[in-house]
Amino acid sequence: MDKIVRVLVNQRSVSVRQGATILEAAREAGVHVPTLCYHPAFRPRGSCRVCLVEVQGGSKPVPACHTKVRDGMEVTTDSKELHTYRRGGLDLL
């Protein structure tokens, strides 16, 4: 049986299985995170950087499609800084 962890996504509490990604937790919480290279049939790569999110206590944004949740993690999916990072990543494509 999978262990369940609790995560806050944009101040919305959600319970997901340990090992889930931030993207999966966000979707479970009803929060949209933009993606470009993600597809559920393939292994996440995090290469496009469009799904970047901020994790409280982290020093830089992380890709939601590739980063595993931790119990008690607090995630922000929408900020001015994230929009700048995402736009910069798209400009490189």
Side-chain angles (χ1 to χ4, degrees):
M1 185 169 174
D2 289 333
K3 180 180 176 186
I4 301 298
V5 297
R6 200 155 204 60
V7 182
L8 278 178
V9 181
N10 294 349
Q11 302 301 316
R12 293 182 188 179
S13 182
V14 63
S15 296
V16 294
R17 65 176 172 70
Q18 185 173 355
T21 64
I22 293 174
L23 180 60
E24 292 169 323
R27 289 180 172 176
E28 183 70 26
V31 174
H32 174 73
V33 175
T35 60
L36 184 61
C37 67
Y38 174 80
H39 189 282
F42 303 117
R43 176 185 237 155
R45 296 182 52 128
S47 59
C48 74
R49 313 310 263 183
V50 171
C51 67
L52 289 176
V53 297
E54 296 168 340
V55 175
Q56 184 179 22
S59 60
K60 60 185 179 180
V62 297
C65 71
H66 196 263
T67 306
K68 305 291 185 197
V69 296
R70 294 182 317 275
D71 195 37
M73 181 182 268
E74 294 185 30
V75 178
T76 301
T77 67
D78 191 30
S79 72
K80 188 174 182 176
E81 292 80 17
L82 288 173
H83 286 265
T84 300
Y85 279 113
R86 290 172 182 158
R87 185 163 307 281
L90 285 173
D91 288 345
L92 295 174
L93 296 175

